[in-house]
Amino acid sequence: MDATVLADALTRLKRAHGQLGGVIAMIENADDCERVLTQLAAVSKALDRAGFKIISTGLQQCQAARGRGEEPPISLERLEKLFMSLS
């Protein structure tokens, strides 16, 4: 997949990367449990959104390929399985 097409997902992943570093630092510094879990939930949500964005992009690419009469880069069945693995 082209990184330019997935710029939004990449931004989300970079944000999650930074948030995860913050969570690790919070745990190492014995920060408040509620604050740690709140930040961990934010990391999880960012990862989920990035995954769903990637799936969405894959669906668009499959549809575009079929519209051009080409074989899609991945089957819709495989995308469905990947989508279900995220939920």
Side-chain angles (χ1 to χ4, degrees), residues 37-80:
L37 291 174
T38 298
Q39 288 304 308
L40 193 56
V43 171
S44 179
K45 187 172 183 177
L47 290 173
D48 288 344
R49 287 179 177 247
F52 291 130
K53 181 63 176 177
I54 291 169
I55 294 290
S56 172
T57 300
L59 287 170
Q60 291 171 3
Q61 288 181 345
C62 286
Q63 186 177 22
R66 286 197 171 140
R68 295 187 304 268
E70 299 171 0
E71 186 67 27
I74 187 171
S75 72
L76 291 177
E77 293 81 14
R78 182 68 183 136
L79 278 173
E80 181 181 3

Side-chain angles (χ1 to χ4, degrees), residues 6-17:
L6 293 172
D8 184 50
L10 189 56
T11 299
R12 291 176 189 278
L13 289 170
K14 287 179 180 180
R15 184 177 307 127
H17 183 263

